[in-house]
Amino acid sequence: MAKLKITLVRGKSGHDHRQIANLKSLGLNKTDDTVVLEDTAVARGMVAKVQHLVKVEEVK
């Protein structure tokens, strides 16, 4: 199964508390933090809500 490499590229200050909670759930706390998650509908949905703050790459 494919995986997603998600990197926080913009700061989270000044954004909605729900977006900040999404980032925390993804495991992204500081700028330039990177996590690798399974490519699931749940992960894609959380990324979609904060797509302006993160960079997503597919990893095999």
Side-chain angles (χ1 to χ4, degrees), residues 12-60:
K12 58 187 178 181
S13 66
H15 292 283
D16 188 27
H17 64 87
R18 290 172 291 199
Q19 292 174 345
I20 295 171
N22 255 344
L23 291 171
K24 188 174 182 180
S25 296
L26 288 168
L28 302 170
N29 296 312
K30 297 179 183 177
T31 305
D32 294 328
D33 275 359
T34 300
V35 294
V36 177
L37 301 174
E38 292 290 331
D39 188 4
T40 63
V42 174
R44 289 270 183 178
M46 291 195 308
V47 167
K49 295 293 183 180
V50 292
Q51 65 186 351
H52 57 289
L53 301 175
V54 299
K55 179 176 80 169
V56 180
E57 301 171 24
E58 288 190 24
V59 179
K60 291 188 178 189

